[in-house]
Amino acid sequence: MSSLWPPRHTARRPVPRAAAPREPVDPARIGRRVVRRRAKGMDAGAVAQALEEVRFDARQDSRHEHLADDERGRAELAEWERIDQLLAAAAPNAVYDPDTGDDVQAELAAEAAAAAAREAELREAARVAAHADELQALCELGTLEQTEPREGDEAARDELTRRAGSYVQKDVDAWLAHALAGHRGHYADPAARAAADRVAAPADRQGSGDPAAQGE
């Protein structure tokens, strides 16, 4: 049987990085923004005329099967109708100003919050990827077992698994299991040990009488 620890040195291989999440394209949102830019400064008469033109285009498009599911077109029509109703209920000579509409501001706030969440996701993905690179380098240098585990190791281990299956992961699994059994690093905290219960002991340690394994 091969030695239990440390794991054997593994040859370096190129490992693919995860693609950064991209902002989803929202045709309806694009359509609403186009309408608001065009309608800005229009009075009720101008909006009513634009609405009739859009309705005519929608009727024409409905005759073509490939345009039947035009999400952006439907959103533009709905936005013109909303603005038309808004000005109909407004004071005489009022003009449309998207910068003062409560619903527009609420939508912009929601979009800003979504953008902030995506940015936070990007930062976290970059942090995990960098830590995965660090663990991979330590494995290749044969010095992983000399490293104290810290918070975030499990996420980095999962990133290595996603990148290349079992490559490096077995070394990291063994290192984490030994650290967990010995309560090393952040595993000195009982809460961290409880959260890491999915880290399985290496198969060649099970039933071996290893004191560290029995101490789990």
Side-chain angles (χ1 to χ4, degrees):
M1 180 178 294
S2 62
S3 61
L4 302 180
W5 188 263
R8 290 181 297 177
H9 179 68
T10 54
R12 184 178 182 85
R13 302 184 198 175
V15 178
R17 282 293 197 101
R22 302 173 64 181
E23 181 176 0
V25 176
D26 186 344
R29 184 177 63 182
I30 294 172
R32 289 191 294 270
R33 286 180 171 177
V34 168
V35 171
R36 290 167 190 166
R37 285 197 298 268
R38 182 182 168 191
K40 187 172 184 178
M42 283 186 175
D43 60 17
V47 168
Q49 181 178 349
L51 175 56
E52 285 306 311
E53 293 174 358
V54 173
R55 283 173 172 167
F56 174 80
D57 291 340
R59 289 192 295 269
Q60 294 297 105
D61 290 347
S62 66
R63 301 176 183 178
H64 303 280
E65 184 176 352
H66 69 285
L67 297 175
D69 192 25
D70 181 10
E71 184 178 354
R72 173 173 168 176
R74 291 196 303 271
E76 289 185 7
L77 174 58
E79 188 66 4
W80 279 116
E81 291 174 340
R82 186 189 69 81
I83 295 172
D84 179 64
Q85 294 172 3
L86 182 68
L87 289 179
N93 302 320
V95 296
Y96 177 65
D97 183 0
D99 297 330
T100 61
D102 291 341
D103 52 347
V104 174
Q105 295 307 310
E107 182 176 324
L108 292 175
E111 291 173 1
R118 285 191 297 271
E119 181 63 26
E121 182 182 354
L122 282 171
R123 288 195 300 269
E124 177 62 14
R127 186 192 65 78
V128 171
H131 190 28
D133 289 342
E134 180 184 358
L135 292 185
Q136 179 188 342
L138 291 171
C139 283
E140 291 164 354
L141 292 170
T143 58
L144 179 62
E145 69 278 5
Q146 302 169 19
T147 306
E148 287 294 303
R150 66 178 191 266
E151 186 176 356
D153 287 334
E154 295 85 358
R157 177 261 188 198
D158 292 343
E159 168 64 9
L160 289 172
T161 302
R162 184 209 63 76
R163 291 181 187 180
S166 60
Y167 173 58
V168 177
Q169 174 194 321
K170 290 182 179 179
D171 290 352
V172 176
D173 280 347
W175 171 64
L176 287 176
H178 276 263
L180 180 61
H183 300 180
R184 291 171 47 205
H186 76 295
Y187 289 138
D189 181 359
R193 294 198 299 273
D197 59 2
R198 62 182 174 82
V199 179
D204 59 5
R205 289 176 60 221
Q206 294 178 2
S208 66
D210 186 342
Q214 296 174 2
E216 297 184 32

